[in-house]
Amino acid sequence: MDLDKVWTVFIQKLQKEDGIQSVEKTQMAGIPFFYLTVHEDIVHKQMQKLIEKAAVQAMKGKRLHSEMIFVRKENNVYVYRGRFFVPQEKMFCCGNLCHDCIRFRS
């Protein structure tokens, strides 16, 4: 699965939001960070909802999870550490009669 495509959709969805002026993604030490330049009147809770909405739209139709963690805010720039990842769970039966086999889920 190409996560770059998911990131591209995520950033495009965020840039289309009314309260956001620009979105910039960088990677430092292999960890993706994104910088959101916003209008003055937007609050942190609204920002969280916009990010969550864009992440859900970017992951639609894929088995992914997202983790977007607030790092800091300077003037009208929010900094978040974010990642999209595949869940760490068994998705098939291996035939070894494991105690957490997917066959036993309801």
Side-chain angles (χ1 to χ4, degrees):
M1 180 177 299
D2 189 13
L3 291 179
D4 289 334
K5 292 179 184 176
V6 175
W7 272 106
T8 302
V9 171
F10 174 70
I11 291 171
Q12 288 173 350
K13 297 287 183 186
L14 278 177
Q15 287 175 337
K16 290 180 182 176
E17 294 293 337
D18 291 334
I20 299 175
Q21 292 176 351
S22 68
V23 181
E24 200 177 314
K25 179 186 171 239
T26 62
Q27 263 192 299
M28 294 180 203
I31 301 170
F33 289 88
F34 58 99
Y35 297 79
L36 301 166
T37 306
V38 299
H39 298 294
E40 296 279 335
D41 56 347
I42 197 164
V43 294
H44 184 68
K45 286 196 183 255
Q46 288 176 320
M47 181 61 55
Q48 287 287 107
K49 289 186 181 193
L50 291 176
I51 291 170
E52 186 177 320
K53 179 181 158 187
V56 167
Q57 291 173 345
M59 296 183 302
K60 190 171 187 164
K62 298 169 182 65
R63 283 194 57 124
L64 290 175
H65 290 281
S66 67
E67 181 182 58
M68 307 298 169
I69 299 171
F70 175 74
V71 177
R72 70 177 181 274
K73 178 185 186 264
E74 292 180 21
N75 299 328
N76 62 340
V77 177
Y78 285 86
V79 180
Y80 284 86
R81 182 179 74 219
R83 69 183 189 130
F84 292 100
F85 59 96
V86 178
Q88 296 290 324
E89 61 185 27
K90 291 178 83 173
M91 298 172 64
F92 60 90
C93 175
C94 63
N96 290 331
L97 302 173
C98 303
H99 70 281
D100 62 343
C101 185
I102 193 159
R103 294 179 300 138
F104 301 135
R105 293 188 190 158
S106 54

